[in-house]
Amino acid sequence: EQFQKIFERYGLDGQIYFARKANKSKSLVKAALEEGIGVDTASFREMEEAITFGGGAENLVLTAAVKTQPMVELAIKHNVTIIIDNQDELKLVQQVAADENSIANIGIRLSGFTFEEQKLYSRFGFDIDKDRTQLLSWFSGSSKFHNLLLTGFHFHLDGYSIEQRGEAIHQTLDFIAEFDSDSNSISFLDISISLLLK
């Protein structure tokens, strides 16, 4: 309710997602979906479970750090957005989508943000600076990834710094502006937030 009030206060079209990986109770997944909260899934089993509870394209996202073909097939079958970490995953999702004669909705995980003149380290995602040109070329009108629809961007930062997240949001929004073309349909910025409960 507190998150939703923030969205309402600033007129933002936001969706809250419950991180299944960090919370093992199935009843929480069921309750989240019943309350209109999405579920962030990080494995085949988590996604399959959320689907059985009524999850789908509108309220599920797949953010697994390592994605298998069965996981990708299930996501595409149910039109679940897949967050992509690297070129190998792009190729895998493109191949599965082509084999299924489908279009896969994807988001790109970004990393390498600059904060106070230093790069923020992450093991996952495309570097917002080093991979910028390549990402732009991959998702131009002549892209070889023609079975992929890039619909948004994602980032995850360790720790609890509000300032780092604010800076990462600004850098991602600048990056999104470069993808504003007829060949893309950017509709979301997905931010992973860890809550420290006291």
Side-chain angles (χ1 to χ4, degrees), residues 118-130:
Q118 292 188 340
K119 290 280 261 186
L120 298 176
Y121 172 76
S122 176
R123 292 177 296 155
F124 307 108
F126 293 90
D127 189 284
I128 194 168
D129 298 317
K130 295 177 184 176

Side-chain angles (χ1 to χ4, degrees), residues 122-193:
S122 176
R123 292 177 296 155
F124 307 108
F126 293 90
D127 189 284
I128 194 168
D129 298 317
K130 295 177 184 176
D131 297 322
R132 193 181 213 97
T133 301
Q134 197 162 32
L135 283 168
L136 284 165
S137 69
W138 284 338
F139 294 98
S140 66
S142 58
S143 171
K144 62 182 177 180
F145 298 113
H146 48 269
N147 286 82
L148 307 184
L149 179 62
L150 177 61
T151 55
F153 291 88
H154 166 103
F155 70 76
H156 173 85
L157 298 178
D158 291 332
Y160 305 98
S161 170
I162 294 172
E163 292 80 8
Q164 287 182 4
R165 282 168 177 76
E167 187 57 39
I169 288 171
H170 280 292
Q171 292 174 38
T172 302
L173 290 175
D174 289 343
F175 193 69
I176 286 173
E178 299 183 43
F179 284 81
D180 186 16
S181 71
D182 292 338
S183 58
N184 298 299
S185 182
I186 308 301
S187 61
F188 73 83
L189 167 54
D190 180 11
I191 306 167
S192 284
I193 299 175

Side-chain angles (χ1 to χ4, degrees), residues 14-46:
Q15 170 68 51
I16 301 164
Y17 285 84
F18 173 76
R20 174 64 178 88
K21 182 178 180 180
N23 302 278
K24 303 305 181 188
S25 172
K26 292 181 182 181
S27 62
L28 293 176
V29 174
K30 187 172 183 289
L33 292 170
E34 288 174 352
E35 292 297 322
I37 296 172
V39 179
D40 179 329
T41 64
S43 71
F44 181 93
R45 185 174 178 182
E46 289 177 13

Side-chain angles (χ1 to χ4, degrees), residues 55-170:
E58 298 301 316
N59 52 18
L60 297 183
V61 63
L62 174 63
T63 62
V66 178
K67 298 169 188 73
T68 63
Q69 184 163 332
M71 198 186 303
V72 169
E73 289 171 349
L74 183 64
I76 291 174
K77 178 180 178 182
H78 292 274
N79 205 27
V80 172
T81 298
I82 305 167
I83 302 299
I84 303 290
D85 279 286
N86 53 58
Q87 188 174 356
D88 288 342
E89 289 185 357
L90 280 174
K91 292 176 180 176
L92 171 62
V93 178
Q94 165 60 35
Q95 185 60 57
V96 172
D99 290 346
E100 297 292 330
N101 195 26
S102 298
I103 298 296
N105 288 321
I106 67 161
I108 296 292
R109 191 185 329 255
L110 295 175
S111 64
F113 300 101
T114 300
F115 179 71
E116 295 182 344
E117 300 183 356
Q118 292 188 340
K119 290 280 261 186
L120 298 176
Y121 172 76
S122 176
R123 292 177 296 155
F124 307 108
F126 293 90
D127 189 284
I128 194 168
D129 298 317
K130 295 177 184 176
D131 297 322
R132 193 181 213 97
T133 301
Q134 197 162 32
L135 283 168
L136 284 165
S137 69
W138 284 338
F139 294 98
S140 66
S142 58
S143 171
K144 62 182 177 180
F145 298 113
H146 48 269
N147 286 82
L148 307 184
L149 179 62
L150 177 61
T151 55
F153 291 88
H154 166 103
F155 70 76
H156 173 85
L157 298 178
D158 291 332
Y160 305 98
S161 170
I162 294 172
E163 292 80 8
Q164 287 182 4
R165 282 168 177 76
E167 187 57 39
I169 288 171
H170 280 292

